[in-house]
């Protein structure tokens, strides 16, 4: 505090730092930790709060989750005065482009993610609803220019000169060959083209069915990599509330994406827990294509098979403890 003297900046920076630590730790937990509903006592990660070489013993997934929530609770308080200025502020650049920093809404959204992961649906719904009502963003209804749905993005990364930096991944960046490619048959299946998805922007916005959602032709929307988007908050709500209420939130996203209200999901006698999970399964596939969140949905529900599952039975959700953690830490 004797270094950061500008009013409000210390709280902002400390809140961002705690939020980022929680963000990174939660991804470590989701990767190296167990299917939480199956074994929350599994020891999976060390919790480190000091920069040193001291060995740390592995702690259980449940304890790590509580550490993460403690960081987020502190971050939420520190960021309570976050201006949430999503635009570029030439007069005060530090307080602009808040989507590109760990901001107040990103902290709340991450809390919703963590609560859902550990099965606390009441708090997951509470935080998801706060984000929806307070973030000032709306679901995107067209991705013609906004290919990555940046306008509804809560927290993101930017990569300058992305096309050039990724040219070894996209071998022919200016022509349609086979870079990160989804076939027409697979696209028709995922986006349900022949039934409800013909006008779904997520199907029509694939630019020749190549996943170029981060390389919009509009420079204002290009090179944006979403980490948390508003649609996920609707899905978290849909999974956390009653069956009757859940269809409201699923249909809200589907309608915004171009699926007709005539094809809305109805909370009738056939809409049970299995039907809700399947509806969300389809939505996660569509909305987070090439963003990584679908894997965590599958792991959270411990799906043993899924669309294009590469193995007969999926038992590979837990990444092995890194060799260096075993050699130099207290990992086993």
């Amino acid at each position: 505090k004797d270094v950061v003297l500008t009013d409000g900046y210390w709280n902002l920076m400390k809140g961002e730092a705690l939020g980022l630590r929680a963000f990174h730790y939660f991804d470590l937990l989701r990767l190296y930790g167990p299917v939480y509903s199956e074994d929350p006592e599994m020891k999976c990660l060390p919790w480190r709060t000091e920069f040193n070489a001291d060995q740390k013993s592995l702690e259980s997934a449940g304890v790590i989750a509580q550490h993460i929530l403690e960081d987020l609770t502190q971050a939420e308080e520190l960021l309570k005065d976050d201006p949430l200025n999503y635009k570029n502020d030439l007069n005060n650049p530090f307080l602009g482009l808040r989507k590109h920093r760990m901001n107040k809404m990103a902290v709340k959204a991450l809390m919703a993610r963590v609560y859902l992961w550990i099965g606390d649906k009441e708090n997951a719904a509470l935080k998801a609803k706060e984000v929806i009502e307070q973030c000032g963003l709306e679901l995107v209804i067209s991705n013609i220019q906004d290919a990555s749905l940046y306008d509804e993005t809560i927290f993101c990364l930017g990569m300058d000169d992305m096309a050039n930096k990724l040219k070894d991944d996209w071998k022919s960046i200016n022509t349609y060959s086979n870079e990160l490619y989804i076939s027409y048959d697979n696209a028709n299946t995922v986006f349900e083209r022949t039934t409800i998805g013909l006008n779904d922007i997520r199907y029509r916005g694939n630019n020749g069915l190549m996943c170029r959602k981060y390389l919009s032709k509009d420079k204002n929307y290009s090179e944006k990599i979403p980490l948390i988007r508003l649609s996920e908050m609707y899905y978290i709500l849909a999974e956390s509330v009653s069956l009757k209420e859940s269809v409201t939130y699923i249909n809200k996203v589907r309608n915004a994406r171009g699926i007709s209200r005539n094809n809305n999901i109805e909370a009738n006698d056939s809409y049970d827990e299995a039907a809700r999970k399947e509806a969300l399964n389809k939505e996660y596939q569509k909305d987070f294509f090439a963003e990584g969140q679908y894997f965590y949905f599958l792991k959270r529900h411990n799906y043993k098979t899924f669309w294009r599952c590469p193995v007969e039975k999926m038992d590979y959700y837990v990444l092995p403890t890194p060799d260096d953690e075993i050699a130099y830490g207290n990992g086993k």
Side-chain angles (χ1 to χ4, degrees):
K1 289 185 176 180
D2 59 344
V3 175
V4 182
L5 300 178
T6 305
D7 186 41
Y9 275 26
W10 185 89
N11 283 0
L12 202 67
M13 294 169 72
K14 182 66 180 287
E16 289 179 4
L18 286 168
L20 284 170
R21 181 166 74 184
F23 182 90
H24 292 308
Y25 253 111
F26 185 52
D27 267 4
L28 290 171
L29 177 61
R30 292 197 291 182
L31 288 169
Y32 293 95
V35 175
Y36 194 90
S37 60
E38 299 288 316
D39 187 10
E41 298 304 316
M42 173 187 161
K43 294 185 182 300
C44 54
L45 293 174
W47 180 259
R48 185 173 294 279
T49 58
E50 297 178 354
F51 186 67
N52 56 41
D54 294 349
Q55 288 187 337
K56 292 283 187 179
S57 297
L58 301 185
E59 297 190 31
S60 72
V63 170
I64 294 294
Q66 290 308 310
H67 286 318
I68 291 169
L69 287 169
E70 288 166 6
D71 269 4
L72 291 171
T73 300
Q74 291 184 65
E76 185 179 33
E77 175 63 22
L78 287 163
L79 292 170
K80 64 183 180 182
D81 296 323
D82 184 348
L84 285 180
N85 183 1
Y86 300 133
K87 303 295 184 180
N88 192 7
D89 188 341
L90 297 178
N91 295 320
N92 197 340
F94 185 74
L95 297 180
L97 291 177
R98 294 297 296 161
K99 291 184 179 185
H100 290 262
R101 302 180 75 93
M102 175 56 67
N103 61 73
K104 176 169 63 176
M105 289 300 125
V107 166
K108 290 178 182 289
L110 187 53
M111 292 176 89
R113 266 187 188 174
V114 177
Y115 280 127
L116 186 63
W117 187 263
I118 65 176
D120 185 346
K121 292 186 176 182
E122 181 179 354
N123 277 312
L126 178 68
K127 289 302 173 185
K129 204 162 191 176
E130 285 183 17
V131 174
I132 291 170
E133 293 175 351
Q134 299 173 18
C135 70
L137 305 174
E138 299 289 341
L139 293 168
V140 170
I141 61 174
S142 172
N143 59 354
I144 294 175
Q145 300 299 327
D146 186 5
S148 67
L149 309 186
Y150 177 71
D151 279 345
E152 70 172 50
T153 294
I154 297 165
F155 180 43
C156 71
L157 299 176
M159 180 186 285
D160 293 332
D161 196 23
M162 179 188 283
N164 186 54
K165 289 177 181 175
L166 298 181
K167 63 184 178 181
D168 289 336
D169 298 306
W170 285 295
K171 292 297 184 183
S172 182
I173 205 67
N174 294 315
T175 61
Y176 292 129
S177 54
N178 61 356
E179 60 277 7
L180 295 185
Y181 161 80
I182 179 171
S183 72
Y184 282 97
D185 286 344
N186 288 332
N188 288 341
T189 298
V190 171
F191 298 103
E192 301 181 276
R193 177 184 179 277
T194 59
T195 52
I196 66 172
L198 182 60
N199 293 316
D200 192 326
I201 66 171
R202 297 167 294 191
Y203 172 80
R204 292 188 293 109
N206 264 318
N207 294 327
L209 301 185
M210 305 293 173
C211 185
R212 298 183 175 204
K213 66 195 296 183
Y214 307 132
L215 291 172
S216 172
K217 295 177 182 178
D218 187 326
K219 65 179 182 180
N220 294 314
Y221 292 111
S222 192
E223 301 175 333
K224 311 292 189 183
I225 305 171
L227 300 177
I228 308 176
R229 287 195 290 103
L230 183 60
S231 60
E232 186 182 352
M233 298 300 105
Y234 282 95
Y235 296 151
I236 289 174
L237 256 182
E239 191 169 337
S240 302
V241 297
S242 68
L243 285 169
K244 182 178 180 180
E245 189 181 353
S246 71
V247 297
T248 302
Y249 302 118
I250 298 175
N251 288 332
K252 174 81 172 179
V253 182
R254 283 162 51 110
N255 296 157
R257 300 302 192 239
I259 296 176
S260 170
R261 288 178 172 80
N262 294 329
N263 293 312
N264 275 0
I265 300 171
E266 297 183 6
N268 52 31
D269 292 341
S270 63
Y271 185 73
D272 55 12
E273 287 293 348
R276 167 161 56 182
K277 189 168 79 167
E278 180 55 23
L280 287 168
N281 176 41
K282 290 180 178 180
E283 281 300 300
Y284 270 80
Q285 284 187 78
K286 296 172 186 177
D287 225 65
F288 303 115
F289 191 85
E291 292 183 31
Q293 295 307 318
Y294 182 46
F295 171 82
Y296 297 124
F297 174 84
L298 293 171
K299 178 171 180 175
R300 184 158 49 79
H301 288 286
N302 201 20
Y303 272 77
K304 293 305 180 185
T305 189
F306 44 86
W307 175 71
R308 300 187 72 201
C309 182
V311 292
E312 185 175 344
K313 183 180 179 182
M314 182 59 177
D315 285 323
Y316 304 96
Y317 287 121
V318 181
L319 273 62
T321 302
D323 292 343
D324 281 356
E325 186 64 47
I326 296 172
Y328 304 111
N330 284 333
K332 294 182 181 179

